[in-house]
Amino acid sequence: MDPFKIIVAGCGSMANTWIDYVATRTDAEVVGLVDVHLETAKKMAEQKSLNVPVFTDLSEGIETTNANLVFDVTIPAAHKQIVTTALNAGCQVFGEKPMAESIEDAQAVLEVAKQTGNKYTVMQNRRYLQQIRAFRDFLATGTIGSIGSIHADFFIGAHFGGFRDLMDHPLILDMAIHTFDQARFISGARPVSVYCHEYNPPGSWYKGNASAVCIFEMSNGAVFTYNGSWCAEGMNTSWEADWRVTGSKGTACWDGQQLPVYEVINSDQQASFINPMKKGEVKSDWTGQEGHWGCLDEMFASLKEKRFAETDCRDNIESMKMVFGAIESAKSKKKVVF
């Protein structure tokens, strides 16, 4: 599929990263920009020195430019319309998370991808970090034994302004998707059930609930707990969360900033009330690009190799289930089984 002729839908600040990436490739070019506000698209074209047409309607843009790939960098509420329009027009789609604002809409988008045979791949940039890929690979070695529990703490005081401040479920819908997807990534497991308590603590500047505690049962028998807040002032964790994975032979931790560390039972010493342990640091030999560009590398590689990408919508729907299952549980105050 060379060359890639790309329309970028959504010309807000996030689009900068996507457009800058395209400039590094010799097999891709931006052929058009789409935004509900035409002036925003024009401004982006000027900033990036792109001599391309701008549109407010994606269908018109695809037809005019003969694009074969759409970047969906719109707000979550627009994802279903943008993605289905592009897929039905014969384009492949790379898009920002989440797939949609409801599980029903996410399932509908997935069905369109299956029916058209075109690929829709979701940006999960936080999988593409040297440390988390090392963490995933280490856990797969069985060094700490069979995984019993996965714990992630996320506490950030994020003053975005804009649409996030007005969302009903800003933490779960807009941010926790990353952590939920990371839990699936490092464990290789899918969600089985969830119980979630969502709340908005004193001092929150969000309209919706900015904090949550979730308990997931996973398909490998492990329990994944998420404890998070987007309005936590002080003592913040990293954006990657603070992780602890317990196994039958030891524990591994990752603070989201340094390489993971672990402790396992030291079988060379006599067992006691609290077993003697030996420590280690997880090594990494991953040399790929990180963040958005790492995920985009995989997205493009999947098209060139005619395969599904790691974060194809067929896989990403499992992370969507975690998000919307948590929201459903918070509303009903009951455990939700997938």
Side-chain angles (χ1 to χ4, degrees), residues 201-216:
S204 172
W205 47 93
Y206 293 86
K207 173 188 174 184
N209 290 320
S211 300
V213 179
C214 304
I215 304 171
F216 290 92

Side-chain angles (χ1 to χ4, degrees), residues 10-31:
C11 295
S13 60
M14 183 57 74
N16 285 285
T17 299
W18 291 71
I19 293 172
D20 289 346
Y21 173 84
V22 175
T24 69
R25 299 189 67 98
T26 59
D27 59 355
E29 63 174 332
V30 174
V31 298

Side-chain angles (χ1 to χ4, degrees), residues 102-253:
S102 72
I103 191 62
E104 293 78 16
D105 283 352
Q107 292 281 9
V109 172
L110 174 59
E111 286 307 310
V112 173
K114 290 179 177 178
Q115 291 165 9
T116 61
N118 296 318
K119 294 183 175 67
Y120 169 38
T121 308
V122 184
M123 175 56 67
Q124 294 289 175
N125 52 300
R126 296 178 189 277
R127 285 186 177 211
Y128 292 87
L129 299 170
Q130 181 189 49
Q131 296 151 8
I132 195 169
R133 298 190 87 81
F135 199 24
R136 187 272 308 265
D137 293 346
F138 171 76
L139 294 175
T141 67
T143 301
I144 66 168
S146 299
I147 295 175
S149 65
I150 305 165
H151 308 278
D153 287 339
F154 176 87
F155 292 92
I156 297 282
H159 295 263
F160 290 106
F163 72 91
R164 292 179 180 85
D165 284 7
L166 302 176
M167 292 173 66
D168 291 333
H169 312 278
L171 177 70
I172 294 293
L173 186 58
D174 195 59
M175 184 62 211
I177 175 66
H178 283 302
T179 316
F180 294 172
D181 188 73
Q182 286 174 310
R184 288 184 50 238
F185 176 66
I186 64 174
S187 68
R190 59 178 177 79
V192 174
S193 70
V194 61
Y195 178 80
C196 173
H197 177 71
E198 197 181 33
Y199 61 104
N200 208 25
S204 172
W205 47 93
Y206 293 86
K207 173 188 174 184
N209 290 320
S211 300
V213 179
C214 304
I215 304 171
F216 290 92
E217 292 174 295
M218 306 298 285
S219 59
N220 63 351
V223 171
F224 165 50
T225 68
Y226 172 83
N227 189 12
S229 177
W230 233 358
C231 60
E233 298 284 34
M235 302 300 290
N236 286 173
T237 64
S238 73
W239 282 89
E240 311 310 326
D242 191 358
W243 295 82
R244 173 182 291 263
V245 180
T246 65
S248 55
K249 299 177 182 178
T251 294
C253 293

